[in-house]
């Protein structure tokens, strides 16, 4: 139990356990790692450990631990607005003011910033004021895909916890357990392209199975240089709205890009891309990708879907 639910990162977990067992709790933690590396998992476990009422921290059984893991502990507060590209500075100022109100039911009060790199300079400067003189019960946990985007003055005040890639054997075992129907070559491709991070590998396997029928038809027609089938595919698409058509063409473009990756010798995830790479040359695939980029740009410039489909029927023939 405890930190074992975070896969890998054994040295990091041991350092955290050792620090907590001595009663050393930092006011500021920076958990860094790419998307899918386990930042949110570690943040919850760390928050649970700080607020835990059990012997082994986090015990994950006491009421405090369960509240943190369920996302409803009044002293574990998330500061974010996912609908905004940048974390609003007013939210940060509000958290800064709220920090000086005593905890509700614990010895500490924790503020989680899931997108620390997206706080912007005004937000980071607003946070810096409380980082300089925090109340003794206050804890800030900052998550960052790219910690280099943080001000040096902010980063220097944090205890940084950098998450590492998982060993290939562990990653493979987890993926095979989660995706028992996945082909071995797909799992191998997901491992290679994920950089060793489980969340990214799982997302790749999930997205690899989400292929629209029009994309399968495009792959078949383009792979076999069947201009007639390609035209038959594009004619009904002339009646689509711009946004759905742009999304479909983006999926075609990503398929071609994956085929180019395959031709470079790197494992690819989708059988469609592997098959396409074996039937068309790198130059042909690259040229088709360029034509799709132009078509997507035309849609963004208010060219009609009918005109764009007509263009592609000629350009990809």
């Amino acid at each position: 139990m405890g930190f074992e639910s975070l896969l890998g990162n054994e040295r990091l977990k041991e350092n955290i356990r050792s620090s907590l067992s001595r009663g050393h709790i930092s006011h500021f933690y920076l958990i860094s790692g790419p998307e899918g590396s386990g930042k949110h998992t570690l943040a919850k476990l760390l928050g649970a450990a700080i607020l835990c009422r059990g012997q082994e921290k986090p015990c994950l059984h006491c009421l405090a631990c369960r509240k943190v893991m369920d996302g409803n502990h009044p002293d574990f507060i998330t500061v974010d607005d996912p609908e905004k590209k940048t974390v609003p500075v007013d939210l940060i100022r509000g958290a800064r003011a709220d920090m000086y109100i005593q905890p509700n039911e614990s010895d500490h009060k924790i503020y989680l910033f899931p997108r620390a790199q997206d706080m912007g300079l005004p937000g980071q400067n607003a946070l810096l004021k409380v980082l300089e003189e925090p109340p003794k019960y206050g804890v800030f946990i900052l998550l960052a895909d790219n910690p280099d985007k943080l001000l040096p003055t902010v980063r220097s005040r944090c205890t940084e916890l950098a998450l590492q890639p998982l060993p290939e054997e562990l990653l493979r075992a987890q993926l095979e357990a989660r995706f028992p129907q996945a082909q071995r070559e797909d799992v191998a491709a997901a491992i290679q392209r994920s950089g060793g991070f489980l969340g990214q590998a799982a997302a790749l396997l999930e997205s690899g199975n989400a292929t629209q029928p029009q994309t399968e038809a495009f792959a078949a027609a383009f792979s076999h240089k069947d201009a007639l089938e390609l035209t038959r595919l594009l004619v009904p698409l002339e009646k689509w709205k711009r946004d759905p058509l742009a999304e479909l063409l983006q999926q075609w473009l990503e398929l071609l890009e994956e085929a180019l990756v395959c031709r470079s010798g790197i494992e690819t995830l989708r059988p469609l891309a592997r098959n396409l790479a074996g039937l068309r040359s790198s130059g042909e695939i690259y040229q088709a990708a360029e034509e799709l980029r132009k078509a997507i740009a035309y849609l963004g410039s208010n060219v009609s879907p009918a005109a764009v489909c007509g263009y592609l029927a000629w350009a990809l023939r």
Side-chain angles (χ1 to χ4, degrees):
M1 297 300 276
F3 287 102
E4 294 310 314
S5 54
L6 175 70
L7 297 175
N9 296 279
E10 298 303 328
R11 179 175 295 181
L12 175 64
K13 291 188 293 190
E14 183 55 38
N15 289 340
I16 296 173
R17 288 192 197 97
S18 176
S19 179
L20 292 175
S21 68
R22 299 194 306 271
H24 293 171
I25 297 175
S26 174
H27 285 294
F28 320 112
Y29 292 96
L30 170 59
I31 301 177
S32 62
E35 184 177 352
S37 59
K39 294 189 299 296
H40 290 82
T41 298
L42 178 54
K44 277 196 168 185
L45 291 171
L46 180 58
I50 292 171
L51 301 178
C52 180
R53 298 297 189 183
Q55 293 296 318
E56 180 185 354
K57 301 180 184 299
C59 70
L60 301 185
H61 294 298
C62 70
L63 182 59
C65 280
R66 294 201 307 271
K67 283 185 175 182
V68 171
M69 301 310 290
D70 291 342
N72 56 23
H73 198 296
D75 295 321
F76 188 83
I77 303 155
T78 299
V79 184
D80 194 16
D81 184 348
E83 296 183 359
K84 301 291 179 63
K85 184 176 181 180
T86 301
V87 182
V89 67
D90 288 344
L91 281 182
I92 299 171
R93 288 172 179 156
R96 185 182 68 192
D98 186 67
M99 170 61 78
Y100 292 99
I101 300 174
Q102 294 283 331
N104 289 276
E105 56 186 56
S106 305
D107 296 329
H108 292 86
K109 197 172 187 181
I110 303 171
Y111 290 82
L112 173 66
F113 292 79
R115 295 187 296 141
Q117 75 276 350
D118 295 333
M119 289 192 293
L121 292 180
Q124 292 187 56
N125 282 320
L127 184 62
L128 191 58
K129 293 182 179 180
V130 73
L131 295 183
E132 291 172 347
E133 292 186 34
K136 62 180 181 179
Y137 53 78
V139 176
F140 287 82
I141 301 178
L142 282 62
L143 309 188
D145 297 340
N146 184 1
D148 290 333
K149 290 185 177 180
L150 296 176
L151 292 170
T153 46
V154 171
R155 192 171 177 180
S156 65
R157 286 170 167 78
C158 295
T159 297
E160 187 163 355
L161 307 174
L163 290 161
Q164 301 299 317
L166 299 181
E168 183 174 337
E169 298 78 12
L170 176 58
L171 186 55
R172 184 182 301 278
Q174 289 291 319
L175 292 174
E176 289 177 348
R178 292 191 186 191
F179 302 92
Q181 305 303 320
Q183 299 181 22
R184 287 187 61 84
E185 55 265 35
D186 292 340
V187 173
I191 291 172
Q192 186 178 52
R193 295 183 63 186
S194 70
F197 295 104
L198 179 59
Q200 290 191 27
L204 285 167
L205 284 173
E206 288 169 353
S207 64
N209 295 326
T211 302
Q212 295 187 37
Q214 293 89 350
T215 299
E216 294 181 358
F218 164 74
F222 181 74
S223 295
H224 295 94
K225 302 183 181 181
D226 192 333
L228 179 58
E229 282 302 315
L230 185 62
T231 301
R232 287 174 176 168
L233 171 63
L234 286 165
V235 167
L237 299 181
E238 293 179 352
K239 299 179 181 179
W240 281 33
K241 300 293 185 181
R242 283 190 180 85
D243 288 346
L245 180 59
E247 291 177 6
L248 178 64
L249 297 186
Q250 182 63 37
Q251 193 174 94
W252 293 7
L253 175 59
E254 290 170 0
L255 176 67
L256 294 179
E257 290 173 341
E258 196 168 342
L260 283 174
V261 169
C262 182
R263 288 195 62 86
S264 72
I266 299 175
E267 291 281 357
T268 54
L269 203 60
R270 288 185 284 182
L272 279 180
R274 292 195 291 268
N275 183 61
L276 196 156
L279 294 173
R280 300 296 295 260
S281 70
S282 296
E284 290 171 330
I285 297 171
Y286 177 81
Q287 185 58 43
E290 287 297 297
E291 299 299 347
L292 282 170
R293 289 192 185 93
K294 290 179 184 177
I296 294 169
Y298 292 154
L299 287 171
S301 301
N302 288 327
V303 176
S304 72
V308 168
C309 289
Y311 169 76
L312 286 176
W314 171 82
L316 299 177
R317 68 190 186 284

